[in-house]
Amino acid sequence: MAKTYKKADHIVSDEIVMEAKGICKSFPGVKALSDVDITIHKGEVVALLGENGAGKSTLIKVLSGIYKQDSGTVSMEGKEMHFEIPSDATNAGIGVIHQELNYVPTISIAENIFMGSIPKKWGFVDYKTMYRDAEEILNLVGLKLDPRMNIGECSVAQKQLIEIAKVMSNNAKVLILDEPTSALNDIEVGYLFQLIHKAASEGVSVFYISHKLDELFEVADRVVVVRDGCVTGQIDMKTATKDMLISKMVGRELSDMYPKEGGIAGNVALRVEGLTTDSLNNISFEARNGEIFGIYGLMGSGHQAIGAALYGQDIIHNGKIYVNDKELNPKTPLDAINAGLAYVPAERKTEGLVLNQSVAVNTMVGYYCKNKKRLLNTKLENKETQKWVEKFGIKTPTVDTIVESLSGGNQQKVILSRCLELAPDVLILNEPTRGIDVGAKSEIYKILDQLCQDGKCVIIITSEMPELLAMSDQIMVMSDGRTSGFVSREEATQELVVQYAIGG
């Protein structure tokens, strides 16, 4: 069953708040934007739609002062703007929430919110005012957190909501939201949509970037399609269909979004008994070869902590882990790798990649660690990396290309390549398609399905209900750090999964 949200009515004015004309932007060897025109009216929600690498991120960085365009103009309320630095755009009334969150993990929530504008009294930090105001800002997005709490202790979803609250509290005229729901569950997404509708009804203009097409029907008034650095069309959401959006975005039909054929369930590859950490309480489950084992939970349920615990990143207080009937007591990730586990983390840019290194280095770093190689073998690196580039269709000029320059979907494929280069028995993926477009999602789903057909055990920890229901053979649902239910593929429905997730 598709998730639904109530779309609030708001009036879109004829008044143009922001207008970009003839925007061009090039990087060495790449023309990212070519003669882009885009407008947004007062109180309008405009969705920017396009595959990873289409130019959406470059466009919003130009609109928010992070990049300076090579040619073209950006105007606010009819006045041409010249953004030299991002704070110029902020001062002009543009608020941005980036897909990759920016925060300092070692300081409090309140200090992160007010960074650069810390309230002071008599020359000293006014902590009382700062904590009080931070609490009010957190209430904007329904977060009941102590503002004194270290933000590094928050979940990805909580950090996302904190960033959203911070930007929305600055009374921006234009909000740019880049994949704002990538780490949120259905309930949190619904709450966010209420905030967007409320902002739009008060005259705030919103650029909304998302690869979750169902969301666009609930939140957007109009869709602007970007492909290969150009605007290729605009669609009124009142007349749009999902197939129309996909076709406009990727330039082709996606006939099978979830290509689930699956393998034949085999022996138990991973057995967990009574796993207990700071976030998990007495978790037990079995995952088999030839199957995809899905794990789901709402924010704070502990489901996001399972991968890190199995991979030796969290301290295990109690419980046992068996891989192919051999006990594993992971103290470090290398222990897990040597036992046959591989792990794709949720935050690929901060946890999964060395951004300033090449595709080849990122692909082969696990190989060197596992095999304790002291000397680099460039010929082997290039050969093995090229194999994965061809197998997964990674769009990169060469294997020596810096991985930071790749799109999100291609970065995710690089991480998958590194994991599969280790020839693991169990592959664990935390939010496997977070922040990537439908074309890349479909390709990754095919990779996971082929792994099952090859007899591998795949575990996906996901907040996306359609992904969970379509790809999982067995599902474990969590609530409050505990297992609240198991659901087979045959009996799985959104209602049943959510019922377990809320502890029912």
Side-chain angles (χ1 to χ4, degrees):
M1 176 180 174
K3 54 191 176 189
T4 59
Y5 311 103
K6 187 178 187 297
K7 185 169 182 176
D9 293 324
H10 55 262
I11 298 173
V12 177
S13 168
D14 290 334
E15 177 186 344
I16 294 177
V17 176
M18 173 181 271
E19 182 176 25
K21 285 186 176 181
I23 300 296
C24 295
K25 179 66 180 177
S26 295
F27 300 97
V30 179
K31 191 161 189 179
L33 296 175
S34 180
D35 203 30
V36 170
D37 294 345
I38 190 169
T39 62
I40 190 168
H41 296 80
K42 187 174 182 178
E44 185 180 25
V45 181
V46 174
L48 287 178
L49 189 62
E51 291 189 273
N52 286 104
K56 303 186 307 299
S57 293
T58 302
L59 177 58
I60 65 174
K61 286 177 180 177
V62 168
L63 297 180
S64 59
I66 297 174
Y67 290 161
K68 188 172 179 60
Q69 68 268 28
D70 299 331
S71 60
T73 61
V74 177
S75 300
M76 285 287 292
E77 298 176 324
K79 181 180 178 181
E80 187 174 331
M81 310 303 294
H82 300 279
F83 301 143
E84 299 296 333
I85 54 177
S87 62
D88 291 342
T90 302
N91 293 334
I94 300 169
V96 188
I97 298 165
H98 295 283
Q99 178 183 339
E100 305 300 333
L101 301 179
N102 295 312
Y103 59 90
V104 180
T106 55
I107 63 177
S108 72
I109 293 172
E111 288 166 316
N112 270 275
I113 289 175
F114 289 103
M115 193 177 301
S117 59
I118 297 287
K120 294 182 179 179
K121 188 175 183 180
W122 310 114
F124 296 95
V125 175
D126 186 353
Y127 285 102
K128 183 178 180 180
T129 298
M130 182 173 67
Y131 293 141
R132 183 195 64 218
D133 291 350
E135 192 168 355
E136 291 177 0
I137 290 172
L138 293 174
N139 286 336
L140 287 174
V141 290
L143 279 177
K144 303 298 181 184
L145 296 174
D146 184 349
R148 299 169 181 80
M149 175 182 174
N150 191 311
I151 199 171
E153 300 174 15
C154 297
S155 68
V156 175
Q158 287 171 331
K159 292 170 190 171
Q160 187 89 317
L161 288 170
I162 291 167
E163 187 69 16
I164 290 168
K166 176 182 176 180
V167 172
M168 293 187 74
S169 69
N170 288 330
N171 300 315
K173 297 174 184 177
V174 176
L175 282 177
I176 301 176
L177 309 180
D178 189 4
E179 297 289 346
T181 66
S182 58
L184 308 183
N185 61 47
D186 294 354
I187 294 172
E188 295 152 1
V189 170
Y191 197 90
L192 173 63
F193 284 0
Q194 290 178 30
L195 292 174
I196 291 173
H197 293 314
K198 182 176 183 292
S201 68
E202 294 173 353
V204 178
S205 306
V206 180
F207 279 117
Y208 189 89
I209 298 95
S210 178
H211 295 120
K212 301 178 182 179
L213 299 185
D214 290 340
E215 294 180 358
L216 305 190
F217 291 93
E218 309 299 334
V219 75
D221 300 300
R222 179 165 53 98
V223 168
V224 174
V225 183
V226 182
R227 188 165 74 240
D228 298 327
C230 302
V231 172
T232 59
Q234 300 191 40
I235 305 170
D236 189 323
M237 287 306 297
K238 293 177 182 176
T239 60
T241 66
K242 192 171 184 179
D243 288 342
M244 183 191 302
L245 295 178
I246 292 174
S247 180
K248 286 281 187 184
M249 181 175 71
V250 303
R252 64 188 187 277
E253 301 292 336
L254 281 182
S255 57
D256 194 1
M257 178 65 180
Y258 300 102
K260 185 73 169 82
E261 295 180 18
I264 299 173
N267 296 329
V268 173
L270 176 68
R271 187 167 81 252
V272 176
E273 298 177 353
L275 182 64
T276 301
T277 68
D278 288 342
S279 305
L280 305 172
N281 191 342
N282 197 30
I283 301 296
S284 299
F285 64 90
E286 293 181 347
R288 296 179 175 273
N289 293 317
E291 287 190 341
I292 293 181
F293 186 84
I295 300 176
Y296 181 85
L298 301 179
M299 185 173 68
S301 68
H303 70 297
Q304 295 280 356
I306 287 183
L310 296 175
Y311 202 58
Q313 293 179 325
D314 281 352
I315 296 174
I316 296 174
H317 302 311
N318 203 358
K320 294 183 178 181
I321 302 168
Y322 297 90
V323 180
N324 293 326
D325 291 328
K326 294 182 180 179
E327 187 170 355
L328 164 65
N329 185 18
K331 301 295 185 183
T332 67
L334 188 57
D335 293 336
I337 289 172
N338 289 332
L341 297 185
Y343 178 54
V344 178
E347 296 191 65
R348 59 178 166 268
K349 288 194 175 183
T350 56
E351 298 179 15
L353 295 167
V354 185
L355 291 174
N356 63 354
Q357 293 295 323
S358 69
V359 172
V361 167
N362 277 276
T363 300
M364 297 300 292
V365 64
Y367 163 84
Y368 283 114
C369 290
K370 181 179 180 179
N371 294 283
K372 299 180 180 179
K373 299 289 184 180
R374 293 177 179 268
L375 299 176
L376 298 180
N377 186 334
T378 305
K379 185 177 179 180
L380 176 67
E381 277 184 26
N382 292 342
K383 178 184 176 183
E384 287 299 297
T385 303
Q386 189 61 40
K387 174 187 74 175
W388 294 112
V389 166
E390 294 173 2
K391 183 179 180 66
F392 291 164
I394 300 173
K395 296 177 182 176
T396 178
T398 71
V399 298
D400 295 321
T401 299
I402 300 302
V403 77
E404 186 176 21
S405 67
L406 303 186
S407 68
N410 287 304
Q411 289 177 346
Q412 194 76 339
K413 290 179 184 178
V414 170
I415 300 175
L416 272 172
S417 300
R418 181 178 68 227
C419 289
L420 296 181
E421 179 66 28
L422 300 172
D425 297 311
V426 179
L427 176 63
I428 305 167
L429 303 101
N430 195 350
E431 302 294 352
T433 61
R434 180 187 175 203
I436 62 177
D437 62 74
V438 291
K441 279 186 179 184
S442 182
E443 292 169 359
I444 286 175
Y445 293 147
K446 287 177 183 176
I447 292 169
L448 300 184
D449 188 57
Q450 186 60 54
L451 289 172
C452 285
Q453 293 181 49
D454 294 342
K456 297 291 185 180
C457 174
V458 178
I459 297 174
I460 59 172
I461 304 165
T462 178
S463 300
E464 290 200 32
M465 186 68 72
E467 177 175 275
L468 178 82
L469 298 179
M471 297 303 295
S472 303
D473 295 291
Q474 301 291 332
I475 297 171
M476 179 176 75
V477 187
M478 292 183 57
S479 176
D480 196 25
R482 302 172 181 269
T483 302
S484 57
F486 289 91
V487 184
S488 68
R489 181 178 182 82
E490 293 73 24
E491 64 181 349
T493 64
Q494 178 172 327
E495 291 84 357
L496 181 58
V497 170
V498 170
Q499 182 180 342
Y500 280 128
I502 62 178

